[in-house]
Amino acid sequence: MPMFRGWQSCSIERPMSDYFQATAASTVPTVKVYVGPERKLFIFPEAFLCDRIKFFKSAFQSGFRESTEKSIDLPEDDPVAFSFIIDHTLGNGSEMSDKVLPENIQLALCKAYVLADKLGCLDAVRKTVDNYLEVHRCWEYEEDFESRLVCPGASRFVYENTPESAPIRQTIVNAATELYHSSTCFSAERMKMWLESATSHPKFHFDIMVSIRKESMP
């Protein structure tokens, strides 16, 4: 499923081609980014990352080790989420469905959202993630019920990797609440599936119950 809202990008308006131009006397300075436990390697023009993503500007222009070695490790982050963020920062607008199986899209989008927030470039992916959520929330057909459930892995990831004030938490809570009130949830089997989703994390469950109570009050 879906979710989201939050941060500001540190983008400098500069033609993309400028980042890849070299002269006869000089090459384009590059940096290496290793992502995930398997250390998947990404190589970029340094100016591109520093202009477009504030996290890397701080890392590569700070005087610390990364600024001299021109490499950085992000061992706890997901390479697919990172590549999705870079695609959107470049303006390519890739779809997560091109990168992962359908059943993994929700979790992958959550990882991309949380990582983009960490890197300070949430604007690059927020619209895509929001649009994904809005489309799913509009579906009311019986066969769409499972697609509208907040997948347990996604809710756990969000609640374990974001502060309580993170807008993404409220977004997935709203999605679960709306599904609870929808006509597609009116069966014992559907309610069982909804409960399995809602109870995937204690705080997520609590927030949903608060949301349902508020909507039920006159």
Side-chain angles (χ1 to χ4, degrees):
M1 178 165 255
M3 9 298 176
F4 325 72
R5 281 188 174 73
W7 247 77
Q8 294 181 353
S9 159
C10 139
S11 177
I12 294 177
E13 293 302 325
R14 178 176 169 185
M16 193 63 66
S17 59
D18 283 5
Y19 296 113
F20 301 91
Q21 291 180 8
T23 67
S26 66
T27 58
V28 176
T30 59
V31 292
K32 297 178 180 180
V33 182
Y34 295 92
V35 186
E38 302 296 323
R39 301 187 81 233
K40 183 169 183 178
L41 174 62
F42 296 83
I43 301 176
F44 302 99
E46 181 179 359
F48 162 71
L49 277 192
C50 292
D51 282 357
R52 303 287 172 137
I53 302 177
K54 67 185 306 180
F55 175 91
F56 293 114
K57 182 178 179 66
S58 298
F60 292 122
Q61 297 182 358
S62 63
F64 294 117
R65 177 176 58 84
E66 289 83 2
S67 63
T68 56
E69 295 183 358
K70 299 303 180 186
S71 71
I72 190 170
D73 273 90
L74 302 175
E76 298 180 358
D77 297 307
D78 182 65
V80 172
F82 184 73
S83 68
F84 182 78
I85 292 167
I86 293 300
D87 286 348
H88 284 266
T89 303
L90 285 166
N92 291 347
S94 67
E95 297 293 335
M96 191 62 83
S97 57
D98 296 332
K99 299 177 179 293
V100 299
L101 295 173
E103 59 268 27
N104 297 326
I105 291 177
Q106 277 191 48
L107 177 57
L109 285 173
C110 284
K111 288 182 177 181
Y113 184 95
V114 172
L115 178 55
D117 197 9
K118 167 184 170 179
L119 298 179
C121 58
L122 187 55
D123 285 348
V125 301
R126 180 169 48 200
K127 184 176 180 181
T128 298
V129 176
D130 279 345
N131 287 344
Y132 181 85
L133 173 58
E134 291 305 320
V135 168
H136 281 67
R137 285 170 64 175
C138 291
W139 290 355
E140 282 286 348
Y141 303 108
E142 288 291 319
E143 60 271 21
D144 298 326
F145 179 83
E146 290 188 46
S147 298
R148 297 180 66 200
L149 284 168
V150 178
C151 93
S155 58
R156 282 194 295 269
F157 181 83
V158 167
Y159 272 78
E160 290 170 2
N161 292 278
T162 62
E164 188 166 350
S165 60
I168 188 174
R169 290 193 179 195
Q170 189 59 55
T171 309
I172 61 173
V173 167
N174 290 344
T177 302
E178 288 192 18
L179 185 56
Y180 173 83
H181 288 299
S182 75
S183 60
T184 59
C185 202
F186 291 165
S187 76
E189 183 60 29
R190 294 285 173 83
M191 183 53 69
K192 179 181 177 183
M193 294 169 65
W194 182 88
L195 284 170
E196 289 175 352
S197 167
T199 57
S200 56
H201 187 279
K203 188 62 169 64
F204 179 48
H205 187 204
F206 175 81
D207 290 345
I208 292 171
M209 294 300 101
V210 170
S211 177
I212 290 174
R213 183 180 180 187
K214 285 180 179 178
E215 291 202 4
S216 302
M217 292 175 67

